Amino acid sequence: MKEPFLSAVPVIQKLESAGFEAYFVGGSVRDLLLNKPINDVDIATSATPEEVKQCFSKTVDVGIEHGTVLVLYQNKSYEITTFRTEAEYEDYRRPKEVSFIRNLREDLQRRDFTMNAMAMDKDGNLIDPFDGQAAIKNKVIQTVGKATDRFQEDALRMMRAVRFVSQLSFQIEKETLNALVDLGHLLDKIAVERKQAEFDKLLFGINRKQAIQLILQTNLYSYLPGLADKENNLKLMLEHRLDRLNTREMWALLGYCLKIEKKEMEEFLKGWRFPSKEIREILNILHYLNIRFKASWSSYDLYAARKKTFVSAEMLYLVISGIESVDSIQDYIDLYERLPIKERSEMDLTGNDLIGWFNKSGGPWVKELLIKVEEAIVEGTVGNNKKIIKEWLMECNHN
Ligand code: ATP
Ligand code: MG
């Protein structure tokens, strides 16, 4: 047994010694068999949430209505979920209520794909009633049970299938794929937040290009916010080398391919329920990308955009222009690092200085002049020193 499972073994032992069953389940077991890095281990148990809470001194109720308790143990946290079924689904969505059960097999049976429906005990023995190991060996994504039933229970599973295509470079098994084509329209019933989380992961997967292709081929794009009639725009994404872009840059590229104005792009991102800070950052990248298409970066643009934004905008510029070398990014970072100031607050000048020097009452002119000086400092025209700034202003009669 290796980390992070090893540290969690005492957690399982604790539940077992209280008379319950407990296993590692889900993505962590899959990723272990795939030799992939494992983020967090999920544990499933026959203990009810209340019983789990009695076994540990530090717990947090994170999703108790779904049977999940967060256990803090030796500075690590574990999500422990009670075996459950989701017998009654409403309106193609996740059920509102779940029933807790004492049986592992039934818990595995309600999981989405065979590769995700394995459990492992504390000694490393696999419990694999749906042959998830074969799915992993053959690199296939296949629902547990009949695909049409499973997608009708929870339509998000269709998005998850394509997201796993992107992350794992697996193929979707034929019947599962057919069901996905037939039932794609059920995605309309799914909360945008859930679709967003899967699409976000899809955009960042190693096999993202094939996944986007699949979204197109299967018509799933028609049921995603703001993409219903954007087949040709989505296709444009495939013309570029996508592997260099992070998730935010992928969203910005999508915006670029949509060929929409800023306001519309803002609405598009709102439609995907992005928080406003994230919307601002994506719009900013697109703004500087536009500027970049017209000219190379000026010192002031680098300063105004800030590092994270100009690095992203430059990366997108290179990708869209089909430029292989990314050396320019480092060159611009070097230029940025050498800027005399990085923030307005670092200026050796305040509005009060200006009001005193020019002996005028405050007004819009103060802000305008501050910006002028800021630009001059950033561009290296004047040093960032009160005395020098004053001389420069008097000399050019900037009043
Ligand atoms: P990741 O590595 O991205 O976390 P994951 O497989 O762990 O992938 P999660 O969303 O964390 O995905 O879900 C954990 C497990 O819960 C899955 O492996 C699967 O067994 C089950 N699961 C998650 N979502 C669904 C769903 N919509 N329907 C059925 N089972 C699901
Ligand atoms: Mg997970």
Side-chain angles (χ1 to χ4, degrees), residues 162-361:
V162 189
R163 179 263 271 202
F164 286 121
V165 167
S166 183
Q167 288 182 322
L168 306 176
S169 306
F170 281 21
Q171 306 277 323
I172 301 181
E173 174 273 334
K174 194 159 164 281
E175 254 182 52
T176 305
L177 187 65
N178 287 341
L180 196 147
V181 174
D182 291 345
L183 299 173
H185 60 277
L186 297 179
L187 273 181
D188 271 345
K189 314 261 182 195
I190 298 296
V192 172
E193 288 80 357
R194 296 182 74 210
K195 292 194 266 198
Q196 202 273 354
E198 296 299 330
F199 198 57
D200 216 52
K201 288 181 181 171
L202 181 156
L203 288 179
F204 195 55
I206 178 107
N207 197 30
R208 56 188 79 172
K209 212 169 223 180
Q210 269 77 7
I212 296 171
Q213 245 150 8
L214 202 56
I215 287 267
L216 281 161
Q217 282 164 14
T218 55
N219 231 15
L220 282 193
Y221 72 92
S222 305
Y223 311 103
L224 299 179
L227 294 177
D229 50 355
K230 301 293 185 214
E231 183 180 6
N232 290 329
N233 303 82
L234 263 176
K235 275 190 186 145
L236 289 178
M237 286 188 90
L238 303 173
E239 292 177 6
H240 305 293
R241 185 179 160 174
L242 304 179
D243 58 330
R244 288 182 158 159
L245 303 178
N246 66 28
T247 314
R248 187 181 284 159
E249 290 156 7
M250 284 295 289
W251 280 99
L253 178 68
L254 176 55
Y256 173 80
C257 292
L258 288 176
K259 299 180 193 290
I260 49 182
E261 295 299 315
K262 185 176 169 199
K263 192 73 211 153
E264 249 183 293
M265 182 61 188
E266 190 177 344
E267 290 307 315
F268 173 77
L269 295 171
K270 273 189 193 157
W272 277 97
R273 306 283 187 275
F274 273 97
S276 36
K277 182 166 175 277
E278 193 60 29
I279 294 181
R280 248 195 334 270
E281 293 186 5
I282 295 170
L283 291 178
N284 246 341
I285 293 173
L286 286 170
H287 170 76
Y288 284 102
L289 175 64
N290 266 329
I291 295 184
R292 180 64 178 100
F293 277 123
K294 295 184 190 118
S296 46
W297 294 86
S298 69
S299 298
Y300 191 75
D301 285 337
L302 295 175
Y303 166 85
R306 289 164 187 260
K307 190 161 161 183
K308 208 162 145 194
T309 301
F310 78 70
V311 167
S312 281
E314 180 69 12
M315 185 54 105
L316 263 182
Y317 167 77
L318 296 174
V319 164
I320 294 169
S321 312
I323 297 170
E324 284 293 314
S325 162
V326 292
D327 292 351
S328 62
I329 294 180
Q330 192 53 50
D331 295 344
Y332 284 123
I333 291 174
D334 292 345
L335 197 61
Y336 176 79
E337 297 301 346
R338 289 197 302 268
L339 291 178
I341 57 170
K342 303 262 190 338
E343 308 262 351
R344 182 165 292 177
S345 61
E346 292 172 33
M347 269 167 74
D348 191 11
L349 177 73
T350 64
N352 280 336
D353 293 332
L354 294 175
I355 290 170
W357 295 344
F358 292 101
N359 200 17
K360 290 205 299 197
S361 52

Side-chain angles (χ1 to χ4, degrees), residues 25-28 30-31 39-40 42 86 94 110-113 116-117 150 154 156-157 160 163-164 167 194 198 201:
V25 284
S28 60
R30 177 198 69 223
D31 290 343
N39 310 321
D40 33 36
D42 292 326
E86 299 178 346
R94 263 189 316 200
R110 60 106 186 152
R111 292 173 184 272
D112 49 5
F113 303 112
N116 289 341
R150 304 308 313 280
D154 181 1
L156 185 78
R157 291 170 187 156
R160 287 176 58 85
R163 179 263 271 202
F164 286 121
Q167 288 182 322
R194 296 182 74 210
E198 296 299 330
K201 288 181 181 171

